[in-house]
Amino acid sequence: MRINDSTIVERLKELGVELRPSVSLKEKTSLEIGGTTDELLLHRYGTIPEVMRLLADAKIPHRFLGGGTNVLISDGELPWVILHLPTAHPGMRVEGNSAFVDASADLGGMVTFCAKHDLGGMEGLIGVPGSVGGALRMNAGAYGTQIGPWVREVELYRAASGEVETVRGNDIRFDYRHTSFAPDDVMLRVKLELPSKPYKEILAGIKVCNEKRRASQPLNQKSAGCIFKNPPGGSAGRMIDELKLKDHRVGDAAVSDRHANFFVNLADATCDDMLRLIDDVRERVRAAYGVDLENEVIFWRN
Ligand code: EPU
């Protein structure tokens, strides 16, 4: 989608928004799949309500893209622009056992920053790729740790009210890879409350998680992490593996030979390749186990 109207382009500039025309989302996602659209870089959080009103009035559909690590996006010209929060110098500070972090910060960077201030509890999240905002929205988790229990407050832009609001942690439901945030809520900042722990102890925990992850996941291939949620009491990866589907391919999309719930882009996979592989594997699991696997990855289809 292109923003060509010079009045809108001018107004965006006045609001401090940087317009980057015709950006390939292949460069913005860990799967390296996705079409082309205009990108708006919001340099100041405070302008979000006004930018959103401007886009709504001009009938320009939009989506917020965070780290791009858990999303599968259609190919071709996309029917919405993408918005980005500033990622260059995200705010992070610690006060006692509280950490205040901008949603655009890198999740691993936040874990390390807190560790340096002797605040632990998030060691398991160290290798989870993506932004703090994405982790909040999905209640990211690994190795027995989820972000949800540490959250005390979230500042967000609520599209339903058109306002920036602060929501208390107790008023947010954090479930397995799911939260009660509305799909169009935009995470802005979080306040976490973390247990005190010596830096060295936290580092030791981080090392253990890193080793486990390196041993079982295809970290240097293009993927969006696990494709399916684990069904209650089961393991999607184990089921797919038991069906001997490692290396199973559609075009350049393949089931990883390392972890069967990771689907990788071997070279130039299209969104369609990946969707067909996902449907095929889901169908085979349904036929063999009677289990309907739910997507963990978010689809942005046009
Ligand atoms: N397994 C196999 N074959 C495989 C993969 C796994 O037999 O190809 C078996 C393992 O041997 C193990 C069991 O399945 O006995 C579970 O595997 P693993 O420990 O790798 O964990 P997982 O349930 O597959 C979950 C999360 C990961 C997270 C890890 C570590 C989901 C969908 N996945 O994977 O999160 O990193 O635990 O805590 O909940 C993600 O969210 O994208 C993600 C990768």
Side-chain angles (χ1 to χ4, degrees):
M1 167 145 212
R2 296 280 165 280
I3 301 180
N4 294 319
D5 185 318
S6 56
T7 322
I8 295 166
V9 172
E10 202 45 47
R11 186 71 193 115
L12 285 170
K13 206 186 262 176
E14 283 165 14
L15 288 168
V17 178
E18 189 180 333
L19 169 61
R20 294 182 177 165
S22 200
V23 169
S24 166
L25 297 196
K26 277 187 192 184
E27 291 154 24
K28 305 271 170 194
T29 58
S30 56
L31 263 174
E32 293 188 22
I33 293 176
T36 305
T37 189
D38 281 0
E39 178 187 28
L40 299 178
L41 204 57
L42 278 62
H43 287 291
R44 288 190 315 246
Y45 281 22
T47 57
I48 290 182
E50 218 171 322
V51 172
M52 303 308 265
R53 273 194 295 275
L54 179 68
L55 296 178
D57 291 347
K59 297 198 168 38
I60 297 172
H62 68 270
R63 303 209 168 173
F64 269 88
L65 185 67
T69 54
N70 197 40
V71 63
L72 173 60
I73 305 179
S74 294
D75 297 307
E77 184 64 30
L78 300 167
W80 14 264
V81 298
I82 58 156
L83 283 84
H84 257 304
L85 294 175
T87 51
H89 304 288
M92 285 197 252
R93 75 188 161 84
V94 156
E95 246 179 67
N97 285 69
S98 301
F100 300 82
V101 184
D102 284 356
S104 61
D106 173 68
L107 180 63
M110 175 182 85
V111 175
T112 315
F113 176 83
C114 292
K116 284 181 183 157
H117 289 82
D118 298 313
L119 294 182
M122 299 190 292
E123 292 84 332
L125 295 175
I126 190 67
V128 177
S131 65
V132 170
L136 285 172
R137 165 166 294 290
M138 291 293 295
N139 189 20
Y143 304 110
T145 308
Q146 299 184 39
I147 195 168
W150 309 118
V151 174
R152 291 297 169 268
E153 265 174 26
V154 175
E155 188 181 312
L156 50 80
Y157 169 77
R158 183 142 276 172
S161 64
E163 305 284 346
V164 172
E165 297 179 11
T166 300
V167 186
R168 289 184 321 145
N170 287 342
D171 295 329
I172 306 163
R173 232 190 34 248
F174 289 101
D175 299 321
Y176 167 59
R177 300 294 194 275
H178 186 266
T179 61
S180 54
F181 294 118
D184 51 6
D185 283 346
V186 182
M187 309 293 120
L188 301 179
R189 286 189 193 91
V190 64
K191 175 185 176 187
L192 305 158
E193 179 114 355
L194 299 162
S196 298
K197 220 180 193 185
Y199 181 45
K200 270 193 177 164
E201 246 176 70
I202 303 173
L203 274 191
I206 284 177
K207 203 169 156 228
V208 171
C209 294
N210 274 338
E211 278 163 10
K212 281 191 198 163
R213 195 179 285 280
R214 264 197 300 273
S216 65
Q217 300 183 359
L219 301 186
N220 44 22
Q221 282 185 288
K222 300 183 261 185
S223 86
C226 285
I227 285 284
F228 300 112
K229 291 183 186 178
N230 283 332
S235 161
R238 186 183 298 134
M239 288 192 284
I240 300 166
D241 193 0
E242 279 171 1
L243 293 175
K244 307 260 177 292
L245 291 174
K246 279 183 168 168
D247 277 332
H248 180 52
R249 282 176 72 159
V250 173
D252 270 345
V255 176
S256 159
D257 57 6
R258 210 170 170 83
H259 192 299
N261 197 13
F262 278 65
F263 291 11
V264 296
N265 174 2
L266 294 173
D268 291 313
T270 62
C271 181
D272 197 46
D273 291 339
M274 198 50 86
L275 287 172
R276 279 168 48 213
L277 183 66
I278 292 169
D279 284 347
D280 185 28
V281 170
R282 195 199 323 272
E283 196 42 57
R284 289 171 191 248
V285 169
R286 187 187 293 133
Y289 296 94
V291 171
D292 202 5
L293 291 177
E294 202 185 314
N295 301 326
E296 203 263 352
V297 164
I298 293 160
F299 293 169
W300 282 8
R301 301 167 86 159
N302 58 16

